[in-house]
């Protein structure tokens, strides 16, 4: 079992719809969770992070964390063609003050105009 | 700030040759990370440094890979000898302190023929 799993996609949604991206992780002791966006040929950039169970909203983005079920999701409301990218889920494992991140392989999102 | 700087941006070499990738972190950052990204395996952490000291090199695939950070503003990742399976995009990232955003460089696309 991979430490961080994502559906590779592509996930295709029409413009204006809600895109839902999911991620599961294997280490129940994982501390914090990150969503990065990566445009084709570019480097990853942080969108959001979440530490506590529940929802965290930032503009059109909402991160959801359920530690009991070991999943984290990212919702993108009012999807735009400019949101088309690969979304990487990253998990900080247990182990004190560590800066190590474990990434999933990413989900490709395609927003159709 | 110029962001994380990596060189070269593209490298094409033949199997068996030595390859050296370079990274300049953001000024003031005390953590530096080397990642490798492939379609099959996604984004993998190879090694990271704190204050120029290697903290976790468990992701370094084998003895052919080595990384150094001689000072706070420069790091190298060396592959000797290179093999076709080393073909990937290599990213360098940096951050300040623990639990903060990692900023990625533009990456080096390595092709080993």
């Amino acid at each position: 079992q991979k430490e961080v799993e994502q559906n590779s996609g592509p996930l295709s949604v029409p413009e204006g719809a809600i895109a839902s991206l999911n991620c599961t992780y294997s280490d129940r002791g994982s501390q914090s969770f990150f969503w990065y966006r990566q445009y084709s040929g570019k480097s990853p950039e942080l969108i959001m992070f979440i530490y506590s169970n529940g929802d965290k909203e930032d503009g059109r983005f909402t991160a959801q964390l359920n530690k009991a079920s070991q999943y984290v999701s990212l919702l993108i409301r009012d999807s735009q063609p400019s949101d088309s990218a690969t979304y990487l889920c990253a998990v900080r494992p247990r182990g004190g003050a560590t800066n190590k991140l474990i990434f999933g392989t990413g989900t490709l999102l395609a927003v159709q105009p | 700030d110029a962001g994380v700087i990596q060189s070269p941006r593209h490298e094409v070499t033949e199997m068996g040759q030595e390859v050296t990738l370079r990274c300049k972190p953001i000024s003031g950052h005390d953590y530096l990370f080397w990642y490798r990204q492939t379609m099959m395996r996604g984004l993998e952490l190879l090694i990271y440094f704190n204050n120029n000291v290697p903290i976790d090199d468990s992701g370094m695939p084998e003895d052919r890979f080595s990384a150094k950070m001689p000072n706070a503003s420069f790091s190298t990742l060396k592959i000797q000898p290179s093999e076709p399976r080393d073909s990937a995009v290599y990213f360098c990232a940096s951050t300040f302190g623990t639990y903060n955003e990692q900023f990625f460089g533009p990456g080096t696309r390595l092709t080993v023929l």
Side-chain angles (χ1 to χ4, degrees):
Chain A
Q1 180 188 9
K2 292 183 180 178
E3 293 179 88
V4 180
E5 295 208 52
Q6 297 181 256
N7 188 319
S8 62
L11 173 66
S12 183
V13 300
E15 184 175 355
I18 296 175
S20 178
L21 303 159
N22 300 311
C23 171
T24 59
Y25 58 94
S26 60
D27 182 359
R28 187 171 291 276
S30 297
Q31 301 178 20
S32 47
F33 309 86
F34 303 80
W35 283 100
Y36 281 77
R37 177 177 62 199
Q38 186 175 24
Y39 291 112
S40 179
K42 302 296 185 182
S43 56
E45 54 182 348
L46 182 67
I47 299 176
M48 291 190 70
F49 61 88
I50 186 167
Y51 298 141
S52 304
N53 273 331
D55 295 1
K56 180 181 179 182
E57 186 174 319
D58 183 2
R60 295 187 297 114
F61 299 94
T62 299
Q64 299 176 317
L65 174 61
N66 184 324
K67 289 188 176 181
S69 300
Q70 295 174 239
Y71 84 78
V72 57
S73 61
L74 179 70
L75 302 179
I76 306 175
R77 290 182 299 281
D78 188 23
S79 296
Q80 301 297 309
S82 59
D83 294 326
S84 298
T86 296
Y87 290 79
L88 304 172
C89 172
V91 173
R92 190 190 308 280
R94 76 177 79 193
T98 176
N99 256 336
K100 181 174 183 174
L101 292 182
I102 300 171
F103 283 82
T105 53
T107 298
L108 177 62
L109 173 65
V111 181
Q112 307 300 325
Chain B
D1 199 317
V4 177
I5 298 173
Q6 292 187 246
S7 65
R9 296 292 307 276
H10 302 272
E11 177 82 26
V12 180
T13 190
E14 293 188 347
M15 183 173 62
Q17 296 298 305
E18 178 179 295
V19 175
T20 299
L21 310 181
R22 297 173 176 80
C23 175
K24 176 179 170 55
I26 293 172
S27 177
H29 283 189
D30 56 350
Y31 283 86
L32 182 140
F33 307 81
W34 282 103
Y35 290 90
R36 177 174 68 177
Q37 188 173 40
T38 61
M39 289 293 292
M40 290 299 296
R41 300 176 66 88
L43 190 63
E44 302 173 283
L45 177 65
L46 300 177
I47 185 171
Y48 78 92
F49 296 83
N50 177 216
N51 292 322
N52 315 334
V53 176
I55 302 301
D56 186 339
D57 66 354
S58 59
M60 295 287 265
E62 49 199 272
D63 291 346
R64 298 185 298 106
F65 286 69
S66 62
K68 294 182 180 180
M69 192 165 185
N71 58 62
S73 59
F74 183 66
S75 177
T76 59
L77 178 68
K78 186 174 294 186
I79 309 172
Q80 166 65 16
S82 58
E83 297 183 2
R85 59 191 169 123
D86 301 330
S87 298
V89 179
Y90 291 80
F91 288 103
C92 176
S94 71
T95 191
F96 174 75
T98 313
Y99 309 130
N100 293 317
E101 176 181 358
Q102 293 184 18
F103 292 87
F104 283 76
T108 296
R109 181 172 296 276
L110 173 64
T111 302
V112 183
L113 303 174

